[in-house]
Amino acid sequence: MEYIKNYTDGKFISPISGKYIENINPAIGEIYSYIPDADEQDVALAVAAAKAAFPAWAATSAQVRSAFLLKIASLIDTYSEKLALAESIDNGKPLELAKTMDIGRAAANFHFYGTAILHESSESHFTSPTAINYTLRKPIGVVGCISPWNLPLYLFTWKIAPALAAGNCVVAKPSEITPMTAYLLSEICIEAGLPKGVLNLVHGYGHKVGQAIAENPEIPAISFTGGTATGKKIALAGAPLFKKLSLELGGKNPNIIFSDCNFENAVATSVRSSFTNQGQICLCGSRIFIQKPIYEKFKNEFVRRVKLLKVGDPLQADSDLGATVSKQHKDKVLSYIELAKQEGGTVLTGGKDVKLQGRCENGYFIEPTVIEGLSPYCRTNQEEIFGSVVTLTPFESEEEVIRYANSTPYGLSATIWTENLNTAHHVAHALESGIVWINCWLLRDLRTPFGGVKNSGLGREGGFEALKFFTEEKNICIKL
Ligand code: TXE
């Protein structure tokens, strides 16, 4: 049984408490490793290491930092098979998905910021004719990165790469539910020769390690992805210390299908946007609104294709859906299906847990579930479920569907299917969300601002937004 360690000051160390947490493989429902049950003392060690490393790291050139990040990207590619297997075992997602989505993107994150930092520029302002101003953008110092369990290495590196590229040192915490690829990233950083203390990983519970990072006065900036409730706790801890916060939180994303859409593309992509990663992506379109003229046609074809999805052993290449990430989360998702029935919904397909035979007989599996007949304003349609559950709701006019779409406390992403440009622009502009896809889903350009509004978060990741977040700006004015 493997006992992974914290990565602090360039080496692997045990938690000061000597205590460990069971790490369960959700596909088989069994413990397969142990992770440190660290606490604020371990965080303090990591902060001290990061502080000691910061002056030298901040003084390196962009070229030097770029070389380290590109080396890490290259090593992620080298170890991609091992990382993908670790991700699939830890999270329950199909191995094929871990290969094609998670690990490739983790390498891309390091590669993107390893090159972006070479092209970063800042402004100057000529106060004619008497002075010139220039903006100096400097690294903040020790920054905190806290990430969730749904896309473990993908989202972990999406924070760490820009933080390091900008010249900061990092104290990072992966989810205790999926710590393995973060641990393997530590090994990669050691192999890449990353100077000690530049990146430090502390494993453990959110209310202990995560809270300690959020409260630590020597960590002036926190980048977090996870649930809205946790985002509030981090904001409450950081606000009195005037910490810089980047919060990428939950979503309840509308997927809007107009009757003039390209039907085949809309149906095929909607199956993906509903159930990829067992529906455990903050960008999944969990509320599908279909214009009345094609409601029955879309419903029948969508349900037919969902029934063809195979829920199976994540290590089998033909599994479309793997295991839900934990027993607790599986119970949460199933409880929402029961709630939907109580709220008047009709389950068109799915709705139950899946009992597999053989290796995965004790795993956490749920059928992809489609429900219709609910009010757009009921709890099922207002709260984030974050699993293999979508609802279908008919609408008639643009105004009606914009009202439905904007009715939740969330505002992360939205998808619109229409061949009418005016409809596309008008609806996209009216939606309360940070990201809108038109006739596509999860088509990503890493240069674009990424984040949500309302309860979906604060700030933007991606592109130069992230480099701005991880730096402080100073304006210097020189009299001519
Ligand atoms: O997230 P948490 P969970 C949503 C989804 C899910 C819900 C909770 O609805 O059901 O959030 O998921 C750390 N101070 N999303 O429980 O708790 C925790 O250890 C500091 C959407 O996984 O937010 C982990 O490392 N940190 C989301 C990280 O926060 C704390 C993706 C996320 O855990 C902490 C995942 C605290 N007090 C879940 N408590 C998305 N937007 O993609 C916990 N943590």
mmCIF file of all heavy atoms in Angstrom, residues 146-150 155 173-177 204-212 214 224-231 233-234 248-251 280-283 329 332 384-386 410 412, ligand 1:
data_model
loop_
_atom_site.group_PDB
_atom_site.id
_atom_site.type_symbol
_atom_site.label_atom_id
_atom_site.label_comp_id
_atom_site.label_asym_id
_atom_site.label_seq_id
_atom_site.Cartn_x
_atom_site.Cartn_y
_atom_site.Cartn_z
ATOM 1 N N ILE A 146 -5.381 25.989 -4.633
ATOM 2 C CA ILE A 146 -6.195 24.906 -4.069
ATOM 3 C C ILE A 146 -7.117 24.387 -5.165
ATOM 4 O O ILE A 146 -7.817 25.175 -5.800
ATOM 5 C CB ILE A 146 -7.032 25.410 -2.879
ATOM 6 C CG1 ILE A 146 -6.111 25.980 -1.792
ATOM 7 C CG2 ILE A 146 -7.906 24.290 -2.316
ATOM 8 C CD1 ILE A 146 -6.857 26.683 -0.660
ATOM 9 N N SER A 147 -7.112 23.054 -5.376
ATOM 10 C CA SER A 147 -7.845 22.544 -6.539
ATOM 11 C C SER A 147 -8.748 21.373 -6.166
ATOM 12 O O SER A 147 -8.623 20.789 -5.096
ATOM 13 C CB SER A 147 -6.849 22.124 -7.622
ATOM 14 O OG SER A 147 -6.022 21.099 -7.133
ATOM 15 N N PRO A 148 -9.716 21.046 -7.058
ATOM 16 C CA PRO A 148 -10.753 20.059 -6.752
ATOM 17 C C PRO A 148 -10.455 18.691 -7.353
ATOM 18 O O PRO A 148 -9.387 18.458 -7.915
ATOM 19 C CB PRO A 148 -11.966 20.660 -7.442
ATOM 20 C CG PRO A 148 -11.397 21.279 -8.674
ATOM 21 C CD PRO A 148 -10.024 21.779 -8.292
ATOM 22 N N TRP A 149 -11.437 17.806 -7.254
ATOM 23 C CA TRP A 149 -11.223 16.398 -7.615
ATOM 24 C C TRP A 149 -11.726 16.032 -9.009
ATOM 25 O O TRP A 149 -11.522 14.913 -9.465
ATOM 26 C CB TRP A 149 -11.934 15.473 -6.625
ATOM 27 C CG TRP A 149 -13.353 15.830 -6.308
ATOM 28 C CD1 TRP A 149 -13.827 16.391 -5.151
ATOM 29 C CD2 TRP A 149 -14.522 15.656 -7.146
ATOM 30 N NE1 TRP A 149 -15.189 16.575 -5.224
ATOM 31 C CE2 TRP A 149 -15.639 16.147 -6.438
ATOM 32 C CE3 TRP A 149 -14.728 15.157 -8.432
ATOM 33 C CZ2 TRP A 149 -16.932 16.130 -6.943
ATOM 34 C CZ3 TRP A 149 -16.015 15.158 -8.952
ATOM 35 C CH2 TRP A 149 -17.095 15.629 -8.215
ATOM 36 N N ASN A 150 -12.381 16.963 -9.719
ATOM 37 C CA ASN A 150 -13.012 16.505 -10.958
ATOM 38 C C ASN A 150 -12.056 16.396 -12.135
ATOM 39 O O ASN A 150 -12.118 15.472 -12.930
ATOM 40 C CB ASN A 150 -14.208 17.394 -11.282
ATOM 41 C CG ASN A 150 -13.803 18.850 -11.481
ATOM 42 O OD1 ASN A 150 -13.006 19.385 -10.731
ATOM 43 N ND2 ASN A 150 -14.348 19.473 -12.503
ATOM 44 N N LEU A 155 -6.691 20.983 -13.592
ATOM 45 C CA LEU A 155 -7.001 22.236 -12.893
ATOM 46 C C LEU A 155 -5.871 22.640 -11.942
ATOM 47 O O LEU A 155 -5.643 23.829 -11.711
ATOM 48 C CB LEU A 155 -8.323 22.111 -12.138
ATOM 49 C CG LEU A 155 -9.552 22.026 -13.047
ATOM 50 C CD1 LEU A 155 -10.815 21.758 -12.235
ATOM 51 C CD2 LEU A 155 -9.726 23.305 -13.868
ATOM 52 N N LYS A 173 -2.441 22.806 -2.715
ATOM 53 C CA LYS A 173 -3.157 21.680 -2.109
ATOM 54 C C LYS A 173 -4.120 21.066 -3.110
ATOM 55 O O LYS A 173 -5.076 21.701 -3.534
ATOM 56 C CB LYS A 173 -3.923 22.153 -0.882
ATOM 57 C CG LYS A 173 -4.676 21.031 -0.203
ATOM 58 C CD LYS A 173 -5.919 21.521 0.487
ATOM 59 C CE LYS A 173 -6.722 20.341 0.969
ATOM 60 N NZ LYS A 173 -7.151 19.479 -0.163
ATOM 61 N N PRO A 174 -3.885 19.812 -3.514
ATOM 62 C CA PRO A 174 -4.840 19.122 -4.366
ATOM 63 C C PRO A 174 -5.982 18.589 -3.506
ATOM 64 O O PRO A 174 -5.896 18.627 -2.270
ATOM 65 C CB PRO A 174 -4.014 17.975 -4.943
ATOM 66 C CG PRO A 174 -3.016 17.660 -3.874
ATOM 67 C CD PRO A 174 -2.717 18.963 -3.198
ATOM 68 N N SER A 175 -7.049 18.115 -4.138
ATOM 69 C CA SER A 175 -8.133 17.539 -3.351
ATOM 70 C C SER A 175 -7.648 16.254 -2.677
ATOM 71 O O SER A 175 -6.941 15.447 -3.273
ATOM 72 C CB SER A 175 -9.319 17.197 -4.262
ATOM 73 O OG SER A 175 -10.296 16.470 -3.533
ATOM 74 N N GLU A 176 -8.098 16.053 -1.458
ATOM 75 C CA GLU A 176 -7.738 14.833 -0.718
ATOM 76 C C GLU A 176 -8.394 13.609 -1.371
ATOM 77 O O GLU A 176 -8.038 12.474 -1.073
ATOM 78 C CB GLU A 176 -8.156 14.933 0.740
ATOM 79 C CG GLU A 176 -9.635 15.141 1.003
ATOM 80 C CD GLU A 176 -10.056 16.592 0.913
ATOM 81 O OE1 GLU A 176 -9.416 17.382 0.183
ATOM 82 O OE2 GLU A 176 -11.032 16.958 1.585
ATOM 83 N N ILE A 177 -9.371 13.858 -2.233
ATOM 84 C CA ILE A 177 -10.064 12.748 -2.896
ATOM 85 C C ILE A 177 -9.264 12.249 -4.111
ATOM 86 O O ILE A 177 -9.325 11.081 -4.471
ATOM 87 C CB ILE A 177 -11.480 13.202 -3.316
ATOM 88 C CG1 ILE A 177 -12.281 13.619 -2.078
ATOM 89 C CG2 ILE A 177 -12.228 12.121 -4.086
ATOM 90 C CD1 ILE A 177 -13.562 14.368 -2.385
ATOM 91 N N GLY A 204 -4.021 16.818 2.268
ATOM 92 C CA GLY A 204 -4.836 16.675 3.465
ATOM 93 C C GLY A 204 -6.225 17.255 3.286
ATOM 94 O O GLY A 204 -6.619 17.640 2.178
ATOM 95 N N TYR A 205 -6.953 17.311 4.378
ATOM 96 C CA TYR A 205 -8.345 17.769 4.338
ATOM 97 C C TYR A 205 -8.453 19.271 4.062
ATOM 98 O O TYR A 205 -7.592 20.062 4.462
ATOM 99 C CB TYR A 205 -9.037 17.475 5.677
ATOM 100 C CG TYR A 205 -9.278 16.005 5.953
ATOM 101 C CD1 TYR A 205 -8.677 15.381 7.049
ATOM 102 C CD2 TYR A 205 -10.098 15.243 5.121
ATOM 103 C CE1 TYR A 205 -8.884 14.034 7.309
ATOM 104 C CE2 TYR A 205 -10.313 13.893 5.373
ATOM 105 C CZ TYR A 205 -9.715 13.302 6.462
ATOM 106 O OH TYR A 205 -9.914 11.970 6.718
ATOM 107 N N GLY A 206 -9.526 19.631 3.399
ATOM 108 C CA GLY A 206 -9.741 21.040 3.099
ATOM 109 C C GLY A 206 -9.902 21.887 4.340
ATOM 110 O O GLY A 206 -9.332 22.979 4.436
ATOM 111 N N HIS A 207 -10.665 21.369 5.317
ATOM 112 C CA HIS A 207 -10.931 22.201 6.507
ATOM 113 C C HIS A 207 -9.686 22.357 7.376
ATOM 114 O O HIS A 207 -9.644 23.199 8.268
ATOM 115 C CB HIS A 207 -12.076 21.596 7.332
ATOM 116 C CG HIS A 207 -11.754 20.272 7.955
ATOM 117 N ND1 HIS A 207 -11.854 19.079 7.250
ATOM 118 C CD2 HIS A 207 -11.295 19.959 9.183
ATOM 119 C CE1 HIS A 207 -11.482 18.083 8.040
ATOM 120 N NE2 HIS A 207 -11.141 18.581 9.222
ATOM 121 N N LYS A 208 -8.644 21.544 7.094
ATOM 122 C CA LYS A 208 -7.388 21.696 7.862
ATOM 123 C C LYS A 208 -6.313 22.386 7.010
ATOM 124 O O LYS A 208 -5.954 23.533 7.251
ATOM 125 C CB LYS A 208 -6.896 20.321 8.346
ATOM 126 C CG LYS A 208 -7.772 19.747 9.457
ATOM 127 C CD LYS A 208 -7.497 18.274 9.716
ATOM 128 C CE LYS A 208 -6.229 17.979 10.418
ATOM 129 N NZ LYS A 208 -6.145 16.524 10.805
ATOM 130 N N VAL A 209 -5.873 21.688 5.940
ATOM 131 C CA VAL A 209 -4.785 22.239 5.124
ATOM 132 C C VAL A 209 -5.282 23.419 4.278
ATOM 133 O O VAL A 209 -4.651 24.478 4.226
ATOM 134 C CB VAL A 209 -4.201 21.148 4.216
ATOM 135 C CG1 VAL A 209 -3.183 21.739 3.248
ATOM 136 C CG2 VAL A 209 -3.561 20.060 5.057
ATOM 137 N N GLY A 210 -6.432 23.239 3.628
ATOM 138 C CA GLY A 210 -6.955 24.311 2.779
ATOM 139 C C GLY A 210 -7.249 25.558 3.591
ATOM 140 O O GLY A 210 -6.871 26.682 3.238
ATOM 141 N N GLN A 211 -7.896 25.352 4.722
ATOM 142 C CA GLN A 211 -8.239 26.492 5.596
ATOM 143 C C GLN A 211 -6.971 27.173 6.092
ATOM 144 O O GLN A 211 -6.882 28.408 6.144
ATOM 145 C CB GLN A 211 -9.072 25.990 6.781
ATOM 146 C CG GLN A 211 -9.685 27.097 7.629
ATOM 147 C CD GLN A 211 -10.855 27.823 6.938
ATOM 148 O OE1 GLN A 211 -11.539 27.247 6.083
ATOM 149 N NE2 GLN A 211 -11.052 29.058 7.302
ATOM 150 N N ALA A 212 -5.936 26.400 6.411
ATOM 151 C CA ALA A 212 -4.671 26.981 6.904
ATOM 152 C C ALA A 212 -4.023 27.826 5.822
ATOM 153 O O ALA A 212 -3.457 28.889 6.096
ATOM 154 C CB ALA A 212 -3.725 25.871 7.357
ATOM 155 N N ALA A 214 -5.690 29.352 3.409
ATOM 156 C CA ALA A 214 -6.554 30.533 3.262
ATOM 157 C C ALA A 214 -6.308 31.546 4.374
ATOM 158 O O ALA A 214 -6.375 32.751 4.150
ATOM 159 C CB ALA A 214 -8.020 30.102 3.254
ATOM 160 N N PHE A 224 -8.366 29.437 -6.310
ATOM 161 C CA PHE A 224 -9.150 28.288 -5.842
ATOM 162 C C PHE A 224 -10.128 27.857 -6.915
ATOM 163 O O PHE A 224 -10.770 28.687 -7.572
ATOM 164 C CB PHE A 224 -9.924 28.673 -4.571
ATOM 165 C CG PHE A 224 -10.972 27.674 -4.168
ATOM 166 C CD1 PHE A 224 -10.614 26.494 -3.547
ATOM 167 C CD2 PHE A 224 -12.322 27.913 -4.417
ATOM 168 C CE1 PHE A 224 -11.571 25.556 -3.183
ATOM 169 C CE2 PHE A 224 -13.282 26.981 -4.054
ATOM 170 C CZ PHE A 224 -12.912 25.800 -3.438
ATOM 171 N N THR A 225 -10.279 26.565 -7.076
ATOM 172 C CA THR A 225 -11.380 26.004 -7.866
ATOM 173 C C THR A 225 -12.063 24.934 -7.035
ATOM 174 O O THR A 225 -11.382 24.061 -6.462
ATOM 175 C CB THR A 225 -10.900 25.391 -9.186
ATOM 176 O OG1 THR A 225 -10.360 26.415 -10.012
ATOM 177 C CG2 THR A 225 -12.055 24.728 -9.932
ATOM 178 N N GLY A 226 -13.392 25.057 -6.962
ATOM 179 C CA GLY A 226 -14.129 24.074 -6.166
ATOM 180 C C GLY A 226 -15.550 24.541 -5.966
ATOM 181 O O GLY A 226 -16.074 25.332 -6.757
ATOM 182 N N GLY A 227 -16.168 24.072 -4.924
ATOM 183 C CA GLY A 227 -17.562 24.395 -4.694
ATOM 184 C C GLY A 227 -17.766 25.816 -4.208
ATOM 185 O O GLY A 227 -16.881 26.421 -3.591
ATOM 186 N N THR A 228 -18.967 26.325 -4.498
ATOM 187 C CA THR A 228 -19.295 27.698 -4.093
ATOM 188 C C THR A 228 -19.236 27.857 -2.569
ATOM 189 O O THR A 228 -18.706 28.861 -2.069
ATOM 190 C CB THR A 228 -20.689 28.063 -4.626
ATOM 191 O OG1 THR A 228 -20.618 28.085 -6.063
ATOM 192 C CG2 THR A 228 -21.161 29.403 -4.119
ATOM 193 N N ALA A 229 -19.723 26.867 -1.845
ATOM 194 C CA ALA A 229 -19.719 26.954 -0.373
ATOM 195 C C ALA A 229 -18.290 27.098 0.151
ATOM 196 O O ALA A 229 -18.002 27.917 1.033
ATOM 197 C CB ALA A 229 -20.388 25.708 0.214
ATOM 198 N N THR A 230 -17.383 26.335 -0.417
ATOM 199 C CA THR A 230 -15.977 26.421 0.009
ATOM 200 C C THR A 230 -15.376 27.749 -0.428
ATOM 201 O O THR A 230 -14.592 28.358 0.302
ATOM 202 C CB THR A 230 -15.189 25.246 -0.571
ATOM 203 O OG1 THR A 230 -15.824 24.030 -0.179
ATOM 204 C CG2 THR A 230 -13.748 25.246 -0.091
ATOM 205 N N GLY A 231 -15.748 28.201 -1.604
ATOM 206 C CA GLY A 231 -15.267 29.509 -2.058
ATOM 207 C C GLY A 231 -15.623 30.607 -1.073
ATOM 208 O O GLY A 231 -14.824 31.518 -0.806
ATOM 209 N N LYS A 233 -16.012 30.199 2.157
ATOM 210 C CA LYS A 233 -15.158 30.046 3.348
ATOM 211 C C LYS A 233 -13.784 30.665 3.105
ATOM 212 O O LYS A 233 -13.216 31.333 3.961
ATOM 213 C CB LYS A 233 -14.992 28.561 3.698
ATOM 214 C CG LYS A 233 -16.249 27.887 4.201
ATOM 215 C CD LYS A 233 -15.998 26.407 4.438
ATOM 216 C CE LYS A 233 -17.292 25.656 4.769
ATOM 217 N NZ LYS A 233 -17.061 24.180 4.757
ATOM 218 N N ILE A 234 -13.270 30.474 1.892
ATOM 219 C CA ILE A 234 -11.943 31.027 1.564
ATOM 220 C C ILE A 234 -12.010 32.549 1.519
ATOM 221 O O ILE A 234 -11.135 33.250 2.014
ATOM 222 C CB ILE A 234 -11.439 30.434 0.236
ATOM 223 C CG1 ILE A 234 -11.155 28.936 0.417
ATOM 224 C CG2 ILE A 234 -10.197 31.167 -0.264
ATOM 225 C CD1 ILE A 234 -10.836 28.191 -0.850
ATOM 226 N N GLU A 248 -12.903 30.038 -8.825
ATOM 227 C CA GLU A 248 -13.637 29.408 -9.918
ATOM 228 C C GLU A 248 -14.528 28.364 -9.280
ATOM 229 O O GLU A 248 -14.047 27.345 -8.801
ATOM 230 C CB GLU A 248 -12.650 28.796 -10.908
ATOM 231 C CG GLU A 248 -13.219 28.645 -12.287
ATOM 232 C CD GLU A 248 -14.049 27.380 -12.360
ATOM 233 O OE1 GLU A 248 -13.443 26.307 -12.363
ATOM 234 O OE2 GLU A 248 -15.287 27.466 -12.398
ATOM 235 N N LEU A 249 -15.836 28.638 -9.237
ATOM 236 C CA LEU A 249 -16.733 27.871 -8.381
ATOM 237 C C LEU A 249 -17.703 27.040 -9.218
ATOM 238 O O LEU A 249 -17.418 26.692 -10.355
ATOM 239 C CB LEU A 249 -17.463 28.831 -7.435
ATOM 240 C CG LEU A 249 -16.508 29.765 -6.637
ATOM 241 C CD1 LEU A 249 -17.301 30.719 -5.765
ATOM 242 C CD2 LEU A 249 -15.517 28.974 -5.804
ATOM 243 N N GLY A 250 -18.861 26.773 -8.658
ATOM 244 C CA GLY A 250 -19.799 25.848 -9.296
ATOM 245 C C GLY A 250 -20.515 26.449 -10.488
ATOM 246 O O GLY A 250 -20.374 27.628 -10.802
ATOM 247 N N GLY A 251 -21.314 25.623 -11.146
ATOM 248 C CA GLY A 251 -22.088 26.090 -12.296
ATOM 249 C C GLY A 251 -23.382 25.302 -12.413
ATOM 250 O O GLY A 251 -23.511 24.229 -11.815
ATOM 251 N N GLN A 280 -19.182 15.487 -14.221
ATOM 252 C CA GLN A 280 -18.423 16.181 -13.167
ATOM 253 C C GLN A 280 -17.441 17.198 -13.725
ATOM 254 O O GLN A 280 -16.243 17.136 -13.483
ATOM 255 C CB GLN A 280 -17.688 15.148 -12.293
ATOM 256 C CG GLN A 280 -18.627 14.207 -11.583
ATOM 257 C CD GLN A 280 -17.918 12.992 -10.997
ATOM 258 O OE1 GLN A 280 -18.353 12.356 -10.058
ATOM 259 N NE2 GLN A 280 -16.794 12.624 -11.583
ATOM 260 N N ILE A 281 -17.979 18.080 -14.564
ATOM 261 C CA ILE A 281 -17.175 19.202 -15.068
ATOM 262 C C ILE A 281 -18.019 20.448 -14.827
ATOM 263 O O ILE A 281 -19.212 20.454 -15.135
ATOM 264 C CB ILE A 281 -16.874 19.071 -16.579
ATOM 265 C CG1 ILE A 281 -16.088 17.788 -16.875
ATOM 266 C CG2 ILE A 281 -16.092 20.290 -17.085
ATOM 267 C CD1 ILE A 281 -15.806 17.562 -18.364
ATOM 268 N N CYS A 282 -17.409 21.505 -14.276
ATOM 269 C CA CYS A 282 -18.181 22.711 -13.937
ATOM 270 C C CYS A 282 -18.797 23.337 -15.182
ATOM 271 O O CYS A 282 -19.662 24.190 -15.070
ATOM 272 C CB CYS A 282 -17.273 23.715 -13.249
ATOM 273 S SG CYS A 282 -15.809 24.106 -14.197
ATOM 274 N N LEU A 283 -18.340 22.907 -16.371
ATOM 275 C CA LEU A 283 -18.836 23.488 -17.622
ATOM 276 C C LEU A 283 -19.905 22.616 -18.283
ATOM 277 O O LEU A 283 -20.412 22.971 -19.349
ATOM 278 C CB LEU A 283 -17.661 23.679 -18.587
ATOM 279 C CG LEU A 283 -16.534 24.588 -18.071
ATOM 280 C CD1 LEU A 283 -15.310 24.466 -18.934
ATOM 281 C CD2 LEU A 283 -17.011 26.027 -17.971
ATOM 282 N N HIS A 329 -20.271 11.383 -2.982
ATOM 283 C CA HIS A 329 -20.790 12.155 -4.126
ATOM 284 C C HIS A 329 -21.854 11.354 -4.861
ATOM 285 O O HIS A 329 -22.854 11.913 -5.317
ATOM 286 C CB HIS A 329 -19.662 12.562 -5.066
ATOM 287 C CG HIS A 329 -20.089 13.602 -6.057
ATOM 288 N ND1 HIS A 329 -20.561 14.841 -5.680
ATOM 289 C CD2 HIS A 329 -20.162 13.574 -7.410
ATOM 290 C CE1 HIS A 329 -20.892 15.532 -6.745
ATOM 291 N NE2 HIS A 329 -20.661 14.798 -7.814
ATOM 292 N N LYS A 332 -24.960 11.825 -3.105
ATOM 293 C CA LYS A 332 -25.482 13.192 -3.328
ATOM 294 C C LYS A 332 -26.222 13.240 -4.659
ATOM 295 O O LYS A 332 -27.349 13.751 -4.748
ATOM 296 C CB LYS A 332 -24.331 14.204 -3.310
ATOM 297 C CG LYS A 332 -24.736 15.601 -3.763
ATOM 298 C CD LYS A 332 -23.538 16.571 -3.766
ATOM 299 C CE LYS A 332 -23.893 17.917 -4.394
ATOM 300 N NZ LYS A 332 -22.759 18.847 -4.457
ATOM 301 N N GLU A 384 -26.564 23.023 -8.054
ATOM 302 C CA GLU A 384 -25.549 22.252 -8.771
ATOM 303 C C GLU A 384 -25.546 20.799 -8.296
ATOM 304 O O GLU A 384 -25.396 20.538 -7.114
ATOM 305 C CB GLU A 384 -24.156 22.864 -8.555
ATOM 306 C CG GLU A 384 -23.088 22.161 -9.383
ATOM 307 C CD GLU A 384 -21.705 22.754 -9.203
ATOM 308 O OE1 GLU A 384 -21.327 23.048 -8.058
ATOM 309 O OE2 GLU A 384 -21.008 22.929 -10.225
ATOM 310 N N ILE A 385 -25.751 19.867 -9.223
ATOM 311 C CA ILE A 385 -25.755 18.440 -8.873
ATOM 312 C C ILE A 385 -24.372 17.836 -9.112
ATOM 313 O O ILE A 385 -23.859 17.077 -8.308
ATOM 314 C CB ILE A 385 -26.830 17.691 -9.696
ATOM 315 C CG1 ILE A 385 -28.222 18.276 -9.407
ATOM 316 C CG2 ILE A 385 -26.784 16.185 -9.427
ATOM 317 C CD1 ILE A 385 -29.325 17.758 -10.319
ATOM 318 N N PHE A 386 -23.776 18.235 -10.250
ATOM 319 C CA PHE A 386 -22.385 17.875 -10.562
ATOM 320 C C PHE A 386 -22.234 16.368 -10.760
ATOM 321 O O PHE A 386 -21.318 15.724 -10.263
ATOM 322 C CB PHE A 386 -21.446 18.343 -9.457
ATOM 323 C CG PHE A 386 -20.078 18.733 -9.969
ATOM 324 C CD1 PHE A 386 -19.922 19.784 -10.838
ATOM 325 C CD2 PHE A 386 -18.948 18.036 -9.587
ATOM 326 C CE1 PHE A 386 -18.676 20.137 -11.315
ATOM 327 C CE2 PHE A 386 -17.692 18.385 -10.059
ATOM 328 C CZ PHE A 386 -17.565 19.437 -10.919
ATOM 329 N N TYR A 410 -26.139 30.797 -10.294
ATOM 330 C CA TYR A 410 -24.841 30.578 -10.950
ATOM 331 C C TYR A 410 -24.753 31.337 -12.275
ATOM 332 O O TYR A 410 -25.759 31.789 -12.817
ATOM 333 C CB TYR A 410 -24.638 29.080 -11.209
ATOM 334 C CG TYR A 410 -24.547 28.261 -9.943
ATOM 335 C CD1 TYR A 410 -25.649 27.568 -9.460
ATOM 336 C CD2 TYR A 410 -23.361 28.217 -9.216
ATOM 337 C CE1 TYR A 410 -25.567 26.829 -8.289
ATOM 338 C CE2 TYR A 410 -23.279 27.485 -8.042
ATOM 339 C CZ TYR A 410 -24.380 26.792 -7.586
ATOM 340 O OH TYR A 410 -24.289 26.071 -6.424
ATOM 341 N N LEU A 412 -21.693 30.476 -14.857
ATOM 342 C CA LEU A 412 -20.348 30.096 -15.326
ATOM 343 C C LEU A 412 -20.306 30.041 -16.840
ATOM 344 O O LEU A 412 -19.668 30.875 -17.487
ATOM 345 C CB LEU A 412 -19.941 28.759 -14.717
ATOM 346 C CG LEU A 412 -18.507 28.318 -15.021
ATOM 347 C CD1 LEU A 412 -17.481 29.355 -14.669
ATOM 348 C CD2 LEU A 412 -18.190 27.011 -14.283
HETATM 349 O O1 TXE B 1 -15.317 20.697 -3.491
HETATM 350 P P1 TXE B 1 -14.645 21.512 -2.370
HETATM 351 P P2 TXE B 1 -15.813 19.238 -3.350
HETATM 352 C C1 TXE B 1 -18.702 21.576 -6.749
HETATM 353 C C2 TXE B 1 -19.582 20.379 -6.930
HETATM 354 C C3 TXE B 1 -19.222 19.547 -5.768
HETATM 355 C C4 TXE B 1 -19.034 20.601 -4.713
HETATM 356 C C5 TXE B 1 -18.183 20.135 -3.591
HETATM 357 O O2 TXE B 1 -20.934 20.769 -6.802
HETATM 358 O O3 TXE B 1 -20.255 18.669 -5.402
HETATM 359 O O4 TXE B 1 -18.352 21.648 -5.376
HETATM 360 O O5 TXE B 1 -17.103 19.387 -4.167
HETATM 361 C C6 TXE B 1 -10.553 22.228 -0.527
HETATM 362 N N1 TXE B 1 -10.645 26.045 2.900
HETATM 363 N N2 TXE B 1 -17.465 21.485 -7.499
HETATM 364 O O6 TXE B 1 -16.214 18.829 -1.980
HETATM 365 O O7 TXE B 1 -15.039 21.120 -1.010
HETATM 366 C C7 TXE B 1 -10.730 20.747 -0.778
HETATM 367 O O8 TXE B 1 -9.873 19.998 0.071
HETATM 368 C C8 TXE B 1 -9.817 25.823 1.865
HETATM 369 C C9 TXE B 1 -17.337 22.334 -8.642
HETATM 370 O O9 TXE B 1 -14.710 18.493 -3.962
HETATM 371 O O10 TXE B 1 -14.872 22.888 -2.802
HETATM 372 C C10 TXE B 1 -10.345 20.630 -2.237
HETATM 373 O O11 TXE B 1 -8.942 20.614 -2.379
HETATM 374 N N3 TXE B 1 -9.902 24.754 1.038
HETATM 375 C C11 TXE B 1 -15.894 22.551 -8.964
HETATM 376 C C12 TXE B 1 -10.915 21.910 -2.814
HETATM 377 O O12 TXE B 1 -11.089 22.808 -1.717
HETATM 378 C C13 TXE B 1 -10.904 23.878 1.268
HETATM 379 C C14 TXE B 1 -15.121 21.278 -9.020
HETATM 380 C C15 TXE B 1 -12.278 21.708 -3.489
HETATM 381 O O13 TXE B 1 -13.092 21.083 -2.538
HETATM 382 C C16 TXE B 1 -11.831 24.042 2.323
HETATM 383 C C17 TXE B 1 -15.331 20.506 -7.833
HETATM 384 C C18 TXE B 1 -11.671 25.176 3.162
HETATM 385 N N4 TXE B 1 -12.495 25.403 4.188
HETATM 386 C C19 TXE B 1 -16.500 20.625 -7.092
HETATM 387 N N5 TXE B 1 -12.719 22.998 2.274
HETATM 388 C C20 TXE B 1 -15.662 23.265 -10.267
HETATM 389 N N6 TXE B 1 -15.991 24.549 -10.323
HETATM 390 O O14 TXE B 1 -15.142 22.675 -11.182
HETATM 391 C C21 TXE B 1 -12.371 22.244 1.226
HETATM 392 N N7 TXE B 1 -11.270 22.751 0.619
#
